Amino acid sequence: MNFDLVIKNACLQDGRRNIDVACSNGIIVAVKPNIEASATLVVDAKDQLLSPPFVDPHFHMDSTLSLGQPRMNMSGTLLEGIALWGELKPKQSVDDIINRAIHYCDLAVAMGIGAIRSHVDVCDNELKSVTAMLEVRRLVAPYLDLQLVAFPQDGLLRDKNAHENLIRALDLGIDVVGGIPHFERTAQEGTLSIKILCELAAERGLRVDMHCDESDDPHSRHVETLASETLRLGLQGRVAGSHLTSMHSMDNYYVSKLLPLLAEAELHVIPNPLVNIMLQGRHDSYPKRRGQTRVPELKAAGVNVGFGSDCMMDPWYSMGRADMLDVASMGLHVGQLSSRTDMAWCFDAVSYNSAAIMGLQGYGIVEGGQANMVLLQANDPIEAIRLKATRLMVFRQGKLVAQTPASHTKLQLPGRPALVDPAKPLF
């Protein structure tokens, strides 16, 4: 049999080694040792890690790469970032948003990202971000899964046009219902916004992803309402709470009651380690709170947790390089996820866990799965996170879509090796 692609001698995420993967017509048709067959393209993985593509379940693509427009965020705070975005929205054009977003998608694919969930601001009567991101979704569809969230950035009830605009966005084809209950004027309005939005999602058969409790305030407890509405409306498995940073400030007794509720509701949780650790705890002197939600406790309670990147070079976050291994590394360090099992799980948090959040079909290196894969210059998931491993090859539907030379350093030291390979095993 002649395949389109055969990758030989690969390590897989689950620890299997010397595995071959054969692909035809964009589908993985065999995953086993020693596949003897011809192929249009044969790649020797040389005992390096072959994984499914990275998945970013929380991003803001309509604002990405807008750093410095119309001015810099001098304080670096969340609130100044929100104010800056409010200044930029009326000035930018649909083409501006498209051009920035497409450039970001190029970077993302090069870094092995195969799917992104992006929140799209609907608090603009012209719906410029919505128009732009729908076009971006169409343009990148051959090489990137882009899922869009109708996000009332300025508050569903706080902004007088947000509710109507959100409905318009969904009618135009936005995929997911978003919200930001902690940004409403009162806790009561935050609760009401969750009820309205979850009922809307239930009526339309859509998923829900809310910015929830992105605060240091331990009394910001909207995730409790989100879980309750999820159960009331039968939305289990279709709802995500993003950020949940207030949980790092809550007392342990309340959290001990909250965690079983989140698990019962099958709520997905999306911390955003890079940006959470940067923006939270700003009112603290010392001790200073870490800002990331309680990842180990959520994981232990059986809640599905996927790490998102949130922002890159925009009003809120001036760093980033579309690297989900950076995200996994920060989540590992901040969450003190330092056992071997937990470190490997952090790779899952930017792959399988996040794919489950987005509801991706055919994800994973399995027979019958989509032939979407990344070959990394590392021997296993922990090594990949440690090294922020080079993405040697990125495949989409069995076709090579990005390639980066292996990272090696030449030494000019007498008696030492001419080349140093960061991924070479030490023992």
Side-chain angles (χ1 to χ4, degrees), residues 40-353:
T40 305
L41 176 62
V42 178
V43 174
D44 185 358
K46 298 179 180 178
D47 204 34
Q48 298 190 101
L49 178 63
L50 185 70
S51 83
F54 297 114
V55 177
D56 186 350
H58 186 108
F59 193 66
H60 291 265
M61 200 176 289
D62 54 356
S63 62
T64 196
L65 300 174
S66 64
L67 181 67
Q69 302 176 36
R71 58 184 176 82
M72 296 297 293
N73 183 339
M74 300 307 293
S75 68
T77 61
L78 174 62
L79 291 179
E80 186 175 352
I82 292 171
L84 260 173
W85 179 237
E87 294 174 25
L88 177 59
K89 277 196 291 188
K91 297 179 180 180
Q92 66 182 352
S93 68
V94 170
D95 284 344
D96 290 337
I97 301 168
I98 291 173
N99 290 336
R100 293 198 314 262
I102 289 291
H103 181 49
Y104 180 82
C105 290
D106 292 343
L107 299 173
V109 169
M111 297 301 284
I113 296 176
I116 300 172
R117 175 182 281 182
S118 179
H119 294 256
V120 183
D121 190 353
V122 300
C123 292
D124 159 27
N125 291 337
E126 297 179 68
L127 293 184
K128 287 189 285 189
S129 287
V130 171
T131 301
M133 292 311 304
L134 287 170
E135 176 62 8
V136 171
R137 185 179 68 184
R138 184 187 72 81
L139 291 171
V140 304
Y143 56 90
L144 184 69
D145 294 313
L146 181 56
Q147 194 176 82
L148 303 177
V149 183
F151 178 45
Q153 173 92 56
D154 300 329
L156 183 77
L157 303 176
R158 187 170 183 165
D159 183 292
K160 64 180 181 180
N161 297 315
H163 192 178
E164 179 184 349
N165 288 348
L166 187 141
I167 301 265
R168 290 168 58 205
L170 295 176
D171 289 343
L172 287 168
I174 297 293
D175 308 289
V176 180
V177 176
I180 186 167
H182 60 278
F183 197 63
E184 304 291 353
R185 286 191 175 88
T186 66
Q188 291 76 17
E189 287 192 347
T191 297
L192 179 58
S193 76
I194 294 172
K195 183 174 186 293
I196 291 169
L197 291 164
C198 286
E199 287 178 350
L200 178 62
E203 289 168 8
R204 293 185 175 230
L206 299 177
R207 293 176 179 269
V208 177
D209 188 338
M210 292 200 191
H211 286 60
C212 206
D213 304 323
E214 189 181 3
S215 167
D216 293 324
D217 179 7
H219 301 292
S220 185
R221 298 178 173 184
H222 292 293
V223 68
E224 179 182 70
T225 303
L226 182 61
S228 179
E229 287 297 302
T230 298
L231 289 166
R232 181 176 73 87
L233 296 166
L235 295 172
Q236 292 95 322
R238 290 163 47 191
V239 179
S242 288
H243 295 290
L244 307 192
T245 59
S246 70
M247 197 183 294
H248 70 68
S249 300
M250 293 174 180
D251 69 82
N252 290 336
Y253 177 73
Y254 175 71
V255 172
S256 74
K257 295 173 57 183
L258 179 62
L259 290 173
L261 175 62
L262 304 189
E264 182 186 359
E266 299 174 34
L267 201 77
H268 303 288
V269 172
I270 309 171
N272 295 283
L274 296 171
V275 179
N276 291 160
I277 193 67
M278 178 70 81
L279 295 181
Q280 302 309 130
R282 290 297 181 113
H283 293 281
D284 294 355
S285 53
Y286 291 93
K288 185 179 282 286
R289 285 168 286 185
R290 288 172 174 256
Q292 182 169 280
T293 194
R294 299 191 186 205
V295 173
E297 291 82 1
L298 287 160
K299 175 175 173 288
V303 176
N304 182 51
V305 179
F307 290 146
S309 67
D310 200 6
C311 304
M312 176 178 143
M313 296 185 69
D314 68 6
W316 295 276
Y317 187 63
S318 62
M319 306 293 283
R321 59 181 199 133
D323 189 347
M324 295 309 294
L325 290 178
D326 277 347
V327 174
S329 178
M330 181 62 79
L332 183 159
H333 284 84
V334 176
Q336 297 179 319
L337 295 158
S338 55
S339 73
R340 301 299 290 180
T341 299
D342 284 348
M343 287 190 286
W345 175 90
C346 288
F347 197 97
D348 294 343
V350 294
S351 55
Y352 283 98
N353 297 7

